[in-house]
Amino acid sequence: MITCKNCGNLFDGNYCNQCGQSAKTKRINYEFLWEDIQHGLLHYDKGIGYSLKKLFEKPGYVISDYIEGKRVNHFRPISMVIIVATIYALIYHLLDLNHRSAIDESSGAVLEKIFEHYYWFVVATIPVYTFTTYLMFKKTGYNFYEIIIFEAFKTSQRLGVHILFLPVLYFVKDESGFNIITNILFLIDFILIFWTNKQFFNKMTAKEVFLRSIGSYLIYLIIATILIGITIFALGYGG
C-alpha cells in the first residue's frame, strides 16, 4: 500500500483513488521542471500544442465535443487563451513592433496603444463576443457560459495565427505593407470564425451561419470600438 503525499489516503496502484495524485511524486528538480514545461505546452494529453493543433483541424467539432464532455486531452480553454496571449505579448515586444515609423504623428499615439495591447484586448472582450454570439445563435440551445468556452477556444485559435504572422509584421513594420498584412489578418480572422461557427452550429445552413456570424462580428466591432473610444478618452490618448 502507498500513502498519498497529498491527502494521506492509503491506496494501491499508480494514482490515489481519493484525490487522483500520482503515486510517483518525486523531489522537485530540473527533470521535474522540464517535464512540467513539456507537459503543459507540448504533451499530447492536456497540452496547449495538442489543443491548438486540433483547433486547426476540425475546430467546431472539437469545441462541441469539449462542451459535451470530452475534455481529458485538452488544455483548459481560459488558461490556454491567457497563456497564448502572453506568448503573443512577449514575441510582440521582443520584436519591438510597437515602434513603427509608418504610423503618422496624428494617429500614432492612439494606434500605438491599440496595437500594443491588442492581445489583451481580444482576451478582455471575450465576454463581449460571447454576448453577440449568444444573441445571434440563441436558438441553438447553448447557454452563455458554454459560449464563453466556445469563444475562448476561438480566440486562442486566432491568436495562434497572429503569432505566426509576427515575424512577417517585423519585416514590414517600417513600410506600408504593415497595414496590408494586418488587413489580411482581419480577413483570416473572419474566415476562421465562420469556419468554426459552421462546424459548431452544424444544424444550421451555411448561409444562415454566415449571416449570423457577420451580424455577431459587426455588433462586436461596434461595441469594441466604443470601448476603445472610452479607454482612449479615459487614459487621455485622444489629445
Side-chain angles (χ1 to χ4, degrees), residues 11 20 22 42 55-56 59 62 64 72 74 94 99 129 132 146 156 163 170 181 198 200 210 217 220 230:
F11 68 97
S22 173
L42 305 172
L55 288 176
F56 289 99
V62 168
S64 177
V72 68
H74 289 283
L94 284 173
H99 292 94
Y129 213 156
T132 62
E146 289 170 331
S156 292
I163 288 173
Y170 174 78
I181 298 299
K198 178 62 182 70
F200 188 77
F210 180 73
Y217 193 55
Y220 166 76
I230 293 172

Side-chain angles (χ1 to χ4, degrees), residues 61-145:
Y61 299 121
V62 168
I63 300 171
S64 177
D65 286 344
Y66 183 90
I67 289 175
E68 293 299 321
K70 294 182 180 180
R71 302 169 187 171
V72 68
N73 290 329
H74 289 283
F75 206 86
R76 291 179 178 271
I78 302 299
S79 298
M80 180 168 70
V81 73
I82 292 172
I83 292 173
V84 174
T86 302
I87 293 171
Y88 183 108
L90 289 172
I91 297 174
Y92 184 94
H93 286 288
L94 284 173
L95 295 178
D96 200 25
L97 289 173
N98 57 317
H99 292 94
R100 299 180 302 279
S101 60
I103 298 179
D104 60 73
E105 292 181 2
S106 61
S107 61
V110 173
L111 291 177
E112 197 81 359
K113 292 301 174 182
I114 293 173
F115 276 104
E116 185 180 351
H117 301 291
Y118 164 77
Y119 32 87
W120 290 126
F121 183 80
V122 294
V123 172
T125 56
I126 286 176
V128 176
Y129 213 156
T130 298
F131 170 73
T132 62
T133 301
Y134 177 73
L135 185 67
M136 298 304 294
F137 292 93
K138 189 174 182 179
K139 71 176 187 178
T140 57
Y142 290 102
N143 64 42
F144 186 82
Y145 304 100

Side-chain angles (χ1 to χ4, degrees), residues 157-204:
Q157 179 196 53
R158 298 197 301 277
L159 281 170
V161 172
H162 281 242
I163 288 173
L164 294 177
F165 270 84
L166 285 177
V168 179
L169 290 173
Y170 174 78
F171 287 109
V172 299
K173 69 176 182 176
D174 294 324
E175 304 170 9
S176 59
F178 189 95
N179 291 331
I180 295 174
I181 298 299
T182 52
N183 288 334
I184 290 173
L185 280 172
F186 282 125
L187 177 61
I188 292 174
D189 281 351
F190 184 75
I191 291 173
L192 288 173
I193 288 167
F194 171 66
W195 179 41
T196 306
N197 285 358
K198 178 62 182 70
Q199 292 183 4
F200 188 77
F201 303 112
N202 54 63
K203 294 182 180 179
M204 303 174 72

